[in-house]
Amino acid sequence: MPRTAPPPDQARLQPFRLEALTPLNHEVLRLELSQIDGPPLTYREGQFVTVRLPDGTARSYSPAAACQGDGRLELHIRTLPGGRFSTWLRSDAGRSGALLDIGGPYGDCVWTPPATAGAPLLLLATGTGIAPIRAMLVRHLAGAGRHPVHLYWGGLDQPDLYLSEEFAALAHRHAHFRYTPVLAAATEPWRGRRGYVQAAAADDLPRLDGARVIACGSPAMVDAARTLLVAACGLAPDAFHADAFVAQGAAPMPSGDASLSLEVGLPQAPARRLAAPPGGTVLNTLAAAGLLQGVCGGQAACGTCRIGIAPAWRAALPPPGRKEARLLAALGSGPEQRLACQICLEAPLDGLRIELP
Amino acid sequence: MTTQAISSPDQARLEGVGPAFDPERLLHVRTLTRQAIQRIAAAIQPGMFEEDAVEMARDLLAEAGMLRGWHDVYVRFGSNTTKTFGAPSDPGVVLGEDDLFFIDIGPVLQDWEGDGGDSFVTGRDPDKARCAADARAIFHEVRHKWLSERATGRALYDYAVSCAAARGWVLNMDLSGHRIADFPHAAIHEGPLAGADFPPSRLLWVLEIHIRHPSEAYGAFFEDLLLEDSYF
């Protein structure tokens, strides 16, 4: 979804090429972009990036796909009559092969499960606010089995909900995930919910104490949802997450500063302490320092980034997912070994000590 | 897409191999790779989710001692067959009764890399069957040009584009061949075969053919090593 752009930061801009432009409905376009050079942009699903047009205009959008660390971005852009980006996209310049500068990532509206086991995670979206929600679901839904996850996506009419079939398929596959489309002005026969997403959610989930809510979309929806769900459903005010600037109108402070540290034990050299951007992987940091280079692009496929975890830190790491665990087993790994490409550096891992083989 | 030229003086460097290079081992991994693709394909049925097929493929490869790969395991269903290498699939795609899917694996056995891809259809949709067959046929048309004319990598892909167009498909030039060697070939050269302005040598390059329908959401993929007829 379009946002107020943060101040341009030349140092963070990276050149991307527009690879494909695909209509998703009558007004939303899917942009597929690939990074031309520089270390691949990485982001946490739910964060946003700033796109700078050749004329200097900046617009911000949340990637709609899970971060693969391969320099590819998928953005969903609602075109508006007279909008600068919309006009550019419709011009001869805005075609496949065009170059754009992209900065970021920014923001901290990311997947945050409820602290209470079994409490629901409620996702609310309107329009292209679905993009960061989709990225989060792709990344986290399969591993979120301890919590029921409810998605309410609102639009005026059926064509607005351009990913409905995808979410319905996800709901079919994941018993803990429920998808509810909500239309405010359905013109065709519609047997689904009518009205607004926050009202539909409040009706279905009248008790939200212990729950968390992530809302992405129009400022009106975000404001109304916060007010309603706190007042009527017992939601704790600090359990409501939204892009702060959406509701407050202020540009967010860029995140991604190198505020974490990683201690690296080397086989025949003194240990090194590396600055590590939060949200990136251990492999990102090791590669930036020239200490380790993966081959498969962070897919937990090649095993070249297998590292040791210092004993004191093993319990702090989330257990390996199925893909990582299967490869570690295939490689005959010990319990101290993990794949650097699968360890996301967050604040609790500040100071993590690892050992390179 | 334009591809940066690689001139022939670079050929020796770009066709270099590592200390563990062994043609016989590489051919053996190729055989195991082709067999694994067939086993994976045989286990895929209409009604499966793509994500489940990928997990099943990884399980089969793990059982065969082939899980480690220089790239990830790809099984693409339906509309995801138009996705280029590395692009994440749209989630929740179920294989239909008249559908198309492809498999792309790059296993590493000890020090030797494999890489193979092939496409398969369910049901009787003649257009999708033709798409899968054409990816294979274009691969061999291009390979024959390599054999008969000692064409450069760039000329091979120029030809591949025309072969695809003649059959009514669009060739994805993002998947335009690459080196293969003792693991990892990426340490020698990561560039595309389509950028090579010299005739590629046998057993050192993978020829990739990824075609898609010009307007509909399906495509097909085939890849294998550049080798002589007796290997097919």
Side-chain angles (χ1 to χ4, degrees):
Chain A
M1 59 176 298
R3 280 120 173 214
T4 305
D9 182 343
Q10 298 291 336
R12 292 176 183 277
L13 294 174
Q14 299 279 0
F16 278 68
R17 181 171 49 232
L18 179 57
E19 301 288 1
L21 198 58
T22 312
L24 293 171
N25 67 11
H26 56 292
E27 60 181 4
V28 177
L29 293 172
R30 175 169 62 201
L31 273 64
E32 294 172 70
L33 299 132
S34 65
Q35 192 169 344
I36 295 172
D37 57 29
L41 186 151
T42 60
Y43 57 88
R44 285 179 291 166
E45 292 76 15
Q47 288 190 294
F48 66 96
V49 297
T50 297
V51 181
R52 195 181 68 171
L53 297 176
D55 71 356
T57 302
R59 294 285 184 271
S60 295
Y61 302 91
S62 289
C67 179
Q68 302 292 327
D70 60 358
R72 293 176 187 273
L73 285 178
E74 176 181 334
L75 305 178
H76 294 182
I77 294 180
R78 181 181 171 221
T79 55
L80 299 168
R84 282 198 182 180
F85 203 176
S86 306
T87 301
W88 183 82
L89 286 170
R90 291 195 178 100
S91 71
D92 288 343
R95 60 178 56 171
S96 294
L99 301 181
L100 293 164
D101 288 327
I102 292 183
Y106 308 105
D108 57 4
C109 184
V110 297
W111 183 270
T112 312
T116 307
L121 175 62
L122 173 57
L123 308 171
L124 303 176
T126 53
T128 51
I130 199 64
I133 299 283
R134 175 181 186 253
M136 290 185 226
L137 286 169
V138 170
R139 169 65 69 197
H140 298 288
L141 182 59
R146 289 192 308 130
H147 303 280
V149 179
H150 299 263
L151 168 63
Y152 290 79
W153 187 17
L156 291 176
D157 208 348
Q158 291 187 57
D160 293 337
L161 307 186
Y162 53 89
L163 294 174
S164 260
E165 289 185 7
E166 179 178 320
F167 294 126
L170 277 181
H172 178 74
R173 183 150 184 258
H174 296 282
H176 65 291
F177 175 59
R178 182 175 166 191
Y179 168 57
T180 305
V182 184
L183 296 181
T187 54
E188 299 295 325
W190 171 248
R191 290 184 294 178
R193 303 294 287 273
R194 293 175 182 269
Y196 296 104
V197 288
Q198 63 274 16
D203 285 346
D204 294 345
L205 304 164
R207 296 295 305 272
L208 289 174
D209 39 329
R212 281 196 198 277
V213 177
I214 298 174
C216 298
S218 71
M221 181 276 284
V222 171
D223 280 344
R226 179 188 286 112
T227 301
L228 176 67
L229 300 178
V230 170
C233 303
L235 180 73
D238 62 358
F240 186 93
H241 301 262
D243 292 313
F245 62 90
V246 169
Q248 298 170 4
M253 292 299 292
S255 64
D257 295 331
S259 56
L260 303 182
S261 70
L262 180 69
E263 192 174 336
V264 184
L266 299 164
Q268 293 181 341
R272 289 180 59 181
R273 182 174 290 273
L274 304 176
T281 66
V282 170
L283 178 58
N284 293 149
T285 297
L286 294 174
L291 292 174
L292 194 60
Q293 199 69 46
V295 170
C296 70
Q299 299 298 310
C302 70
T304 50
C305 68
R306 191 167 51 156
I307 57 171
I309 305 296
W313 284 95
R314 287 176 203 163
L317 293 180
R322 184 179 178 194
K323 189 177 183 184
E324 182 187 0
R326 184 165 38 194
L327 184 62
L328 287 169
L331 297 173
S333 308
E336 76 286 5
Q337 291 180 303
R338 296 291 300 268
L339 299 180
C341 68
Q342 300 299 302
I343 302 172
C344 186
L345 287 166
E346 304 284 1
L349 296 181
D350 189 18
L352 174 68
R353 164 83 187 207
I354 65 166
E355 306 290 336
L356 291 191
Chain B
M1 173 181 171
T2 58
T3 308
Q4 189 174 359
I6 303 164
S7 61
S8 56
D10 291 328
Q11 181 168 7
R13 178 172 57 85
L14 301 185
E15 293 197 335
V17 295
F21 185 74
D22 181 332
E24 291 305 314
R25 293 281 192 172
L26 208 60
L27 286 168
H28 179 60
V29 175
R30 171 185 178 257
T31 300
L32 295 177
T33 300
R34 306 306 310 182
Q35 290 171 347
I37 290 170
Q38 295 301 321
R39 279 203 306 278
I40 294 166
I44 291 174
Q45 302 294 331
M48 285 180 84
F49 280 93
E50 182 183 287
E51 291 90 336
D52 294 334
V54 173
E55 289 298 311
M56 177 275 295
R58 290 196 185 112
D59 285 339
L60 281 178
L61 290 167
E63 288 168 15
M66 299 170 68
L67 179 63
R68 184 179 176 223
W70 66 268
H71 70 66
D72 204 358
V73 174
Y74 292 98
V75 181
R76 307 273 206 191
F77 283 1
S79 58
N80 283 333
T81 55
T82 62
K83 303 272 186 187
T84 196
F85 179 80
S89 279
D90 293 329
V93 175
V94 176
L95 189 66
E97 296 288 344
D98 284 304
D99 212 340
L100 196 157
F101 68 96
F102 74 67
I103 297 163
D104 179 8
I105 59 174
V108 176
L109 273 82
Q110 297 179 331
D111 288 325
W112 302 283
E113 296 176 339
D115 195 20
D118 206 347
S119 299
F120 307 86
V121 292
T122 60
R124 298 178 177 220
D125 185 316
D127 293 331
K128 288 174 180 166
R130 188 172 66 84
C131 187
D134 279 358
R136 216 168 287 127
I138 294 167
F139 171 88
H140 287 298
E141 286 175 356
V142 176
R143 190 179 60 83
H144 285 141
K145 185 178 182 69
W146 167 72
L147 277 174
S148 60
E149 299 179 18
R150 286 187 49 77
T152 67
R154 182 179 298 278
L156 292 179
Y157 273 93
D158 287 345
Y159 183 59
V161 169
S162 62
C163 289
R167 292 169 180 266
W169 312 108
V170 177
L171 188 80
N172 173 17
M173 283 293 285
D174 281 342
L175 276 163
S176 54
H178 56 78
R179 273 297 313 275
I180 194 133
D182 40 344
F183 178 74
H185 77 261
I188 303 168
H189 180 50
E190 285 192 286
L193 173 58
D197 277 340
F198 53 81
S201 301
R202 70 184 297 275
L203 195 60
L204 295 180
W205 295 87
V206 170
L207 177 65
E208 299 171 303
I209 300 295
H210 183 215
I211 54 174
R212 60 176 170 77
H213 191 282
S215 58
E216 294 183 29
Y218 66 86
F221 178 65
F222 188 89
E223 69 169 340
D224 202 341
L225 275 65
L226 274 175
L227 288 167
E228 298 78 8
D229 288 348
S230 59
Y231 290 91
F232 294 90

